Every structure is written in C-alpha cells, then in structure tokens.
Amino acid sequence: MSDTGRRTFLRSLAAAGGLTALAPSLGGLIAYAVDPRAGGSRHGATRRTPGYGPLRPAGPELELPEGFRYAKFGVQGDRMSDGLPTPLAHDGMAAFAGPDDDVLLVRNHEVRSRPLETALDEEFAYDRLAGGGTTTLRVRIASDGMPRLVADHESLAGTLVNCAGGPTPWGTWLTCEETTLGLSSGYERAHGYVFEVPAGADARVRRPQPIRAMGRFIHEAVAIDPATGIAYLTEDAQTAGFYRFLPAAPGRFLEGGRLQMLGLRDAPHRMTISHQRVGRPLPVVWIDIEDPDPADAERYPLTVFAEGYGNGGALFSRLEGCWYGDGAIHFNATSGGNAQCGQIWQYRPGADDDVGELTLLYESPSADVLKSPDNITVSPRGGIVLCEDTSGSYVRGLGRDGVIFDFARNILNGREFAGACFSPDGRVLFFNIQGDTAPGGAGHLGMTFGVWGPWERGPL
C-alpha cells in the first residue's frame, strides 16, 4: 500500500469514528463479520467439566476450588522496599528464578495518567510526564507452597499504559505500551513501544530505550520462541494484526530487526473474526512492514496495521494475551468469534521460518462459558490459563481436551484479572486484580495473588 493509499484508508476509518488514542473501535468496518446471529463453523466444546471442582470462598477476595489457598501482597499504595508506594493498575506479569531459590515477579502497571509518586528523574525515566512502568517483587515460597513477599521496587519509570508483555529466554521482561500518545498529547516523548526490563533482585532500567524496530502501535503482549529468538507480538485494537519481529542480532533487540505481519497464504486480507473452524490448520505468510515507526502513529494509531493489512495481512479482533508453550505461540482474540466472546489461537512455526500454521484452538460460544479472554499463560503441565477482561471476571482454564472450566472468581470488586504466570517450579500460580487504571476511579485497588494447591488433580 502506498503512503497515499495508506493515509486515505486511515482517514476513512477515522471518519467512521474508528480512531481513538487508546482503544480504537472500527465497528462500522467489521460489523458484518461479528454478527452473533450469523451461522458459522463449529465451536470448541461448550460444556464445562469440573476441572478442579466447584469454586468456593477461599478468602475475602477470591473463590477457588477446594484444596487451593492463596496469599495476597503487593497491594496498590503499600510502601515498597525502595520507599515508593506500589503503583496502581496491576497488569501483565512474569515470574523468573531469583537468588536463594526466590521468585522474581516483574509486573506491569497500566497507568493512564500523569505520575503520582515515583522516582522520575532523567537518569531513570523515559518520560517524566508518564505514570506507567514496572515494579519487581521478590517472593519466597515456603515448603508448603505459601508465597511471601520479601522485597519490591520500581524497575521501569516514565512509560505509559504498560498493559502486557512477555518474558525472554535470557531472563528479562518485555513490557508493552498500549497507546500511541506522544508530544501532541502533552507528553515529553513518543509512546507506543516495547521496552526491555532486567529481572534482577535490585535491577532498574537506566535511561530506558524504546525498541523502535518492534513497531509503534497499540501493543499488548509479546512471546519469544526460544528456538529462534523471534518475538511474536499482539495488537489490542478492534481491527488488529499479529506480528513477528526478526532481530538483527539474537537477544539484542535494540540493534534492530525486521517487523512482519501475519497473513493467510490462501486468503489475503482475511478477517478471522467469525465463521472460523476450530482445529483446522491454516498456512500463513509473513508480510514485511516497511515503516514500523511511523511519524503519524499518534494521530493514526492503526498506521502499522493499515500497511500490513493493505498488503494482504490477516485481521483479528483485539489481540491481547500471548505466551509461548509446547513449541507454539498461543494468543487471544478478546472480541473474536461468532458470539464476540473470544477466540484462542495457536501459531506453530515450521522448520522454515517463513512456513508455519495458524490454528483456532477454541472459540467461546457464549459469555457464560468464556468472556473476553485477555492475559494468557501455559501451565508447566500443558493446560492454558486465561484471565477474563470483564466485570465479574474469572480465571478460566482450558484443558488439552478443549474444555473450559472455572478456576478462580473475583468476589471483591469485579475488576479484571491479569498477569497470570507460574513460578519456575510450577508450584504457584501468580495473577493480579487490576484495580483502577487512573486516580479518582471507583477506589478499586490493584493487588497480586499467589495460589497453590493440588495441581496434579486437574488439567493445569
């Protein structure tokens, strides 16, 4: 697509009310493709088996299956070890092996406002007017499985709307900005990038540098294939692309690389939102993005998407969580499917980097079964954990049999779950209740949980 054609496409979307700074909605473009009344291919299984059994109150915040327990820590406002208060808006997270067999959690904060109290100076802050970033928590797991917070500190400052991200095989966290706001919106720097954060017990990012070659768009999550070092990225927009980044130097993303968008080999410009068949492998192609860091991204957040889709890329609806496991990349289309309740996709690379297959693993038939899957992780035992992005949210599990089950329910405030990840030894599942994303909200606090119990009894 030429620059003129791309801008014409973007302006037509904007005229339809489709482009907003944080959460673009292109309903007019895709309405015919997501009508839940329309017929379509067969869904995944609709009946929920017991999984780990019925949920019951395990404390004032959570319902869990019998035999599971939880600990709460890292609550918004709690004073951290570095003297700063724990930020609001807990979101994506990953767990790393730390010193003395402790676990290090690197946690995003999806802050959509100016900073409150943080170590914002030129040495550590990317943008002193942006309130997002990451914190790092050191957690010790007792012999009975109970996790306890040992220390915590700010590890990245001055970024914005840090939603999800992903761990790297070399022990760092990639945090993603879910916005393309910048100088025109009153910030010091352009946003819409991926940043790398070390997962050290005392590590902080000095002079943060955006990985510009990974693109400037409405980022959500990223997963690394450890066999190749290729990064796979999701885009949280109503019309979204699935991307991969081929680094010029393995493990050194700041040295540049090539960004590409997934397309279906036999169906250019394919809309995957509805009428998809579960379990059918689809051969893919990868389309080069010539301008991954467009100058007009703040005004047109879908500029990168427009280039890829215009050249034959596939269209998804709100791609959010993304995680590597079992030799494949698993990712959620939060609003995809005939019922608009969510799809779970898998991309399995082939022996040739340019040959792989995309498969729809599961599509929710109704909100009662699964609604708006967001963050995702793969269990060490082969199951999939899904955090719902909806009020009255659940943590759901998906077993290898393709059946969804309930694992946890938020009985505190109905805010979304986020950041699911397992400790390196698989004993503890960590996740967050997000809380409010800006000051002056409803007073819902972000908080982190560690859950342990008889994992061997079920699919996770």
Side-chain angles (χ1 to χ4, degrees), residues 75-87 116-120 135-136 149-155 202 204:
V75 178
Q76 173 189 335
D78 286 355
R79 193 64 56 175
M80 297 189 294
S81 304
D82 59 5
L84 296 170
T86 299
L116 296 176
E117 186 177 351
T118 181
L120 286 179
T135 52
T136 299
L149 180 65
V150 176
D152 48 358
H153 67 279
E154 180 183 80
S155 47
D202 300 303
R204 290 184 64 194

Side-chain angles (χ1 to χ4, degrees), residues 287-352:
I287 298 161
D288 285 339
I289 300 296
E290 300 297 335
D291 188 7
D293 188 15
D296 57 355
E298 181 168 7
R299 184 178 180 189
Y300 298 122
L302 295 183
T303 300
V304 171
F305 168 80
E307 180 186 336
Y309 183 70
N311 289 324
L315 183 153
F316 298 85
S317 183
R318 290 194 63 203
L319 292 185
E320 298 207 63
C322 186
W323 202 270
Y324 175 86
D326 192 28
I329 308 298
H330 303 79
F331 60 99
N332 291 327
T334 298
S335 302
N338 289 354
Q340 305 177 55
C341 290
Q343 298 164 318
I344 302 166
W345 293 90
Q346 178 192 82
Y347 172 72
R348 188 170 293 278
D352 183 335

Side-chain angles (χ1 to χ4, degrees), residues 141-165:
I141 301 176
S143 58
D144 64 356
M146 180 177 179
R148 177 178 63 85
L149 180 65
V150 176
D152 48 358
H153 67 279
E154 180 183 80
S155 47
L156 174 68
T159 50
L160 191 64
V161 195
N162 296 75
C163 196

Side-chain angles (χ1 to χ4, degrees), residues 92-456:
M93 189 166 64
F96 303 86
D100 301 323
D101 295 324
D102 289 346
V103 175
L104 296 173
L105 296 172
V106 184
R107 180 181 60 195
N108 274 3
H109 294 275
E110 191 185 343
V111 180
R112 299 176 179 270
S113 63
R114 302 301 170 96
L116 296 176
E117 186 177 351
T118 181
L120 286 179
D121 57 51
E122 292 183 355
E123 183 179 4
F124 293 105
Y126 171 69
D127 181 340
R128 290 171 298 175
L129 299 180
T134 67
T135 52
T136 299
L137 297 78
R138 182 171 177 173
V139 177
R140 186 159 299 157
I141 301 176
S143 58
D144 64 356
M146 180 177 179
R148 177 178 63 85
L149 180 65
V150 176
D152 48 358
H153 67 279
E154 180 183 80
S155 47
L156 174 68
T159 50
L160 191 64
V161 195
N162 296 75
C163 196
T168 70
W170 46 91
T172 62
W173 167 249
L174 296 173
T175 181
C176 300
E177 293 185 306
E178 190 193 9
T179 182
T180 60
L181 294 179
L183 278 68
S184 297
S185 302
Y187 290 96
E188 291 182 330
R189 306 284 296 276
H191 294 273
Y193 298 111
V194 179
F195 295 79
E196 190 164 10
V197 182
D202 300 303
R204 290 184 64 194
V205 179
R206 293 175 180 269
R207 303 194 182 281
Q209 296 296 315
I211 307 172
R212 296 182 183 276
M214 276 189 172
R216 185 183 180 194
F217 55 87
I218 305 169
H219 282 281
E220 177 71 24
V222 56
I224 310 296
D225 182 347
T228 62
I230 294 173
Y232 295 86
L233 305 104
T234 56
E235 180 176 30
D236 188 4
Q238 291 294 345
T239 55
F242 182 63
Y243 303 88
R244 74 174 186 177
F245 177 73
L246 289 74
R252 299 200 296 273
F253 292 145
L254 284 172
E255 296 183 19
R258 186 156 45 115
L259 184 68
Q260 298 178 318
M261 181 175 174
L262 179 140
L264 299 186
R265 188 185 67 190
D266 302 324
H269 313 289
R270 178 68 173 270
M271 293 188 179
T272 66
I273 298 168
S274 63
H275 308 292
Q276 302 304 304
R277 185 184 304 169
V278 171
R280 178 178 65 176
L282 302 169
V284 311
V285 294
W286 289 99
I287 298 161
D288 285 339
I289 300 296
E290 300 297 335
D291 188 7
D293 188 15
D296 57 355
E298 181 168 7
R299 184 178 180 189
Y300 298 122
L302 295 183
T303 300
V304 171
F305 168 80
E307 180 186 336
Y309 183 70
N311 289 324
L315 183 153
F316 298 85
S317 183
R318 290 194 63 203
L319 292 185
E320 298 207 63
C322 186
W323 202 270
Y324 175 86
D326 192 28
I329 308 298
H330 303 79
F331 60 99
N332 291 327
T334 298
S335 302
N338 289 354
Q340 305 177 55
C341 290
Q343 298 164 318
I344 302 166
W345 293 90
Q346 178 192 82
Y347 172 72
R348 188 170 293 278
D352 183 335
D353 284 345
D354 289 325
V355 178
E357 291 182 332
L358 178 72
T359 304
L360 180 61
L361 295 184
Y362 184 87
E363 180 174 308
S364 176
S366 74
D368 292 335
V369 177
L370 175 69
K371 183 180 181 183
S372 302
D374 188 338
N375 287 181
I376 185 174
T377 192
V378 178
S379 159
R381 291 158 287 271
I384 293 177
V385 178
L386 304 159
C387 296
E388 287 189 334
D389 180 5
T390 182
S391 60
S393 62
Y394 285 81
V395 173
R396 314 275 197 190
L398 177 64
R400 289 183 176 270
D401 57 0
V403 177
I404 291 281
F405 59 91
D406 304 336
F407 180 75
R409 186 168 79 92
N410 177 358
I411 57 175
L412 174 66
N413 56 25
R415 297 291 296 175
E416 69 178 84
F417 284 111
C421 57
F422 280 91
S423 59
D425 63 7
R427 287 195 297 159
V428 178
L429 173 64
F430 298 99
F431 52 76
N432 301 313
I433 287 179
Q434 184 184 75
D436 298 329
T437 58
H444 300 315
L445 301 180
M447 57 192 69
T448 298
F449 301 91
V451 176
W452 71 100
W455 298 111
E456 70 284 354

Side-chain angles (χ1 to χ4, degrees), residues 3-19 296 299-300 306:
D3 286 347
T4 301
R6 184 187 69 191
R7 283 174 169 78
T8 300
F9 176 59
L10 288 166
R11 289 191 185 101
S12 68
L13 297 183
L19 294 175
D296 57 355
R299 184 178 180 189
Y300 298 122

